[in-house]
Amino acid sequence: MSIRFTKAALITGLYLSSALASINAAAISASSSIDQLSSQVAPLWQSMKPACVMALDLETQGSIGDRLELLDNQLVANGLSNHLKPLAKDRNTAWNNQVWTLRETLEQSALSVEEREPLREYFFKLQTQTPNADRAKLVADVQYMSEQLNRALRKELWKTCHALGIETMAQEQLEAAVEQRWLKQAKKVNNQLNKELAAFYFYSFRQVQNMELAVLAKTAAALNPWVDATAESIEAYFLQLRGQLLETELKALAVQPVTDKPFLQPKPWVPSNQKSPFN
């Protein structure tokens, strides 16, 4: 049940191209799940950073060097994992349930190279056909952990992205502003995340009877309180980080004078005093 971000590339290659999460049964624990989730912070930030910068006007782009350095230093695996350490000690007995072995086997099988095209086709099939309601509920229970933690991480990264060029504002006002920016895209992001995860889990469990799937769902649901607490802690981590961002001054870079001369270097030839052919 490791938190990974690879399945979207196998399904649609859309905005989640390098990142979808699942919980991997190998050595499953709260600590390993946090470590796997945290390992994705830096790659996600580096993939979205160019868009975050280009969304700003040119003058602001030239003044955020210190803020980018702060985020590059903070948005790394140990930054988030250290913050989540108290949650790594969770002792819920559901972590030790043997059902995770079955789940790991099914998920790894669905991720194999030979399953890539069938998985892609299955995704599009689900866009036009409505699955059985009972089975859909069981799959939703299974994917709850992956979906909630992915959503929390992506939401907070994007809110931090929106805050990159904001200054002279109280943090409470900043949070209201970036929340409004996030809400403009939240529905699209959440829907895409839900669709891609649902496709992966429906496909992984396609040969599992509802009775067996119900056992997987029940075990996963027992960890929901931990999932919700972890999502809240992720939000708290990024709230603190955006506070540091506000405290980091925007420094305008010295602008070189612009010249309209066609050649900025001396001419590579020696001028001659030849007469014009029109004379």
Side-chain angles (χ1 to χ4, degrees):
M1 245 181 53
S2 60
I3 308 292
R4 282 195 305 249
F5 296 78
T6 56
K7 294 170 191 163
L10 306 179
I11 303 172
T12 65
L14 299 177
Y15 98 98
L16 294 173
S17 59
S18 65
L20 269 183
S22 72
I23 306 296
N24 190 336
I28 178 63
S29 68
S31 179
S32 64
S33 297
I34 286 173
D35 287 343
Q36 291 294 333
L37 175 66
S38 299
S39 70
Q40 298 305 317
V41 173
L44 281 171
W45 163 240
Q46 292 303 323
S47 69
M48 69 168 57
K49 182 167 71 169
C52 298
V53 174
M54 293 186 67
L56 304 172
D57 60 71
L58 290 177
E59 182 178 352
T60 305
Q61 288 182 31
S63 65
I64 58 174
D66 289 347
R67 290 189 172 189
L68 286 175
E69 183 178 0
L70 168 68
L71 294 181
D72 286 342
N73 291 334
Q74 295 295 322
L75 292 176
V76 293
N78 62 3
L80 181 59
S81 62
N82 287 339
H83 177 81
L84 297 177
K85 267 185 178 179
L87 290 157
K89 300 177 181 179
D90 187 67
R91 295 294 182 265
N92 191 319
T93 57
W95 293 113
N96 303 318
N97 196 303
Q98 293 182 350
V99 74
W100 300 125
T101 302
L102 171 61
R103 178 169 173 171
E104 167 68 2
T105 301
L106 295 170
E107 290 186 6
Q108 291 303 317
S109 176
L111 285 172
S112 63
V113 175
E114 57 269 23
E115 297 296 336
R116 290 185 179 181
E117 193 56 35
L119 177 55
R120 183 187 298 274
E121 292 176 359
Y122 205 84
F123 172 85
F124 291 109
K125 179 180 178 180
L126 283 176
Q127 310 316 303
T128 58
Q129 299 183 27
T130 303
N132 174 274
D134 292 337
R135 192 167 183 83
K137 174 62 168 61
L138 294 174
V139 170
D141 289 344
V142 171
Q143 75 182 54
Y144 183 81
M145 179 183 291
S146 295
E147 189 168 349
Q148 288 298 102
L149 297 184
N150 266 285
R151 179 182 292 120
L153 184 58
R154 292 169 185 284
K155 174 183 178 180
E156 295 307 315
L157 277 168
W158 271 113
K159 286 170 67 174
T160 303
C161 169
H162 293 323
L164 190 57
I166 296 177
E167 63 175 341
T168 63
M169 182 181 291
Q171 186 164 9
E172 183 177 347
Q173 293 175 303
L174 170 70
E175 292 303 319
V178 296
E179 179 68 18
Q180 287 300 313
R181 290 286 299 275
W182 162 253
L183 290 176
K184 293 179 180 179
Q185 62 193 7
K187 184 176 181 179
K188 179 180 179 180
V189 173
N190 292 338
N191 284 345
Q192 188 63 34
L193 180 63
N194 177 271
K195 287 179 181 179
E196 294 191 8
L197 279 171
F200 174 77
Y201 285 115
F202 268 112
Y203 188 76
S204 297
F205 305 139
R206 64 193 182 281
Q207 296 178 338
V208 177
Q209 298 298 317
N210 276 12
M211 186 176 297
E212 296 170 302
L213 187 55
V215 176
L216 286 168
K218 183 178 180 180
T219 306
L223 295 172
N224 285 355
W226 178 87
V227 174
D228 296 339
T230 302
E232 290 178 3
S233 191
I234 291 171
E235 294 174 359
Y237 172 74
F238 280 91
L239 178 65
Q240 183 181 42
L241 182 57
R242 288 192 291 273
Q244 296 177 39
L245 208 61
L246 276 179
E247 294 172 359
T248 303
E249 184 181 357
L250 294 177
K251 296 180 180 178
L253 297 177
V255 179
Q256 296 296 326
V258 178
T259 177
D260 61 356
K261 295 181 180 179
F263 300 103
L264 302 183
Q265 300 297 326
K267 296 181 177 67
W269 62 85
V270 178
S272 61
N273 294 320
Q274 294 180 354
K275 292 183 179 180
S276 169
F278 297 103
N279 290 334

